[in-house]
Amino acid sequence: MRKIPYPPLLVAAAVLASPMTGCVTGGLSKSGLELQAFQKKEFACSKKTAFASTLSVFQDLGYIVKSASLETGLIAAASPTKNVLFMGSHMSNTEATAFIEEFTPTKSSIRLNFVNVAESSSGYGMKARSDKPIEAAPPYENAFAKIQEAIFVRTKSQ
């Protein structure tokens, strides 16, 4: 019978390699059209009004605006980060983006995207990040209702 040299080394290599193997799962469970059904909405207002209303609503919802450009119609924002210290650091927040597009001077569309972000790090320097798109309609419906209100206020005060 042949003896395998250094069996502890082989076991250690297998244990260290095991976290690197596995299958990748996840991703979006809905098609682009299914997502657009509740992530995108058209409004009877200018791009400037839609942009200002969306920016204002993000701030009202407690998001910190990271970047915004009326020219491109893009807004990027993130909620405050929650941090839990237990066997390392575990942080989570929600990131939001908006794309405002003008069809005519009095008709614009807004597409929102919300993503839950979770990050963790251990005392040994290992870090992990998980981004999970929010695919449920209620958060989008809530945001669009508030945007509609903000657009109404802006258009009636002009």
Side-chain angles (χ1 to χ4, degrees):
M1 182 177 218
R2 186 174 165 194
K3 189 174 182 182
I4 299 174
Y6 306 106
L9 234 41
L10 292 174
V11 171
V15 168
L16 290 174
S18 66
M20 294 179 222
T21 62
C23 50
V24 176
T25 60
L28 299 176
S29 63
K30 295 185 169 133
S31 72
L33 286 176
E34 289 174 313
L35 291 171
Q36 279 191 47
F38 57 83
Q39 287 183 337
K40 186 175 183 179
K41 191 167 181 182
E42 292 181 4
F43 296 93
C45 67
S46 68
K47 178 180 179 180
K48 186 176 179 179
T49 300
F51 187 88
S53 298
T54 304
L55 190 64
S56 177
V57 166
F58 276 175
Q59 290 176 320
D60 291 347
L61 292 173
Y63 285 86
I64 301 160
V65 176
K66 302 292 184 183
S67 65
S69 169
L70 178 59
E71 184 179 337
T72 63
L74 290 172
I75 301 171
S79 69
T81 303
K82 299 174 191 157
N83 191 9
V84 176
L85 296 173
F86 177 73
M87 296 184 68
S89 177
H90 305 279
M91 300 172 288
S92 63
N93 73 330
T94 302
E95 293 181 354
T97 57
F99 175 61
I100 295 93
E101 184 175 24
E102 185 174 71
F103 297 124
T104 69
T106 59
K107 186 176 180 185
S108 300
S109 75
I110 302 170
R111 180 157 185 191
L112 302 176
N113 187 14
F114 296 110
V115 178
N116 285 326
V117 178
E119 294 184 59
S120 62
S121 61
S122 71
Y124 300 106
M126 181 193 264
K127 292 184 179 185
R129 178 179 164 126
S130 171
D131 296 355
K132 186 171 191 246
I134 297 175
E135 295 183 356
Y140 297 94
E141 292 166 352
N142 177 47
F144 280 129
K146 292 180 185 310
I147 291 169
Q148 179 67 60
E149 290 173 14
I151 288 171
F152 177 79
V153 169
R154 277 185 169 72
T155 55
K156 295 304 172 200
S157 66
Q158 294 175 353

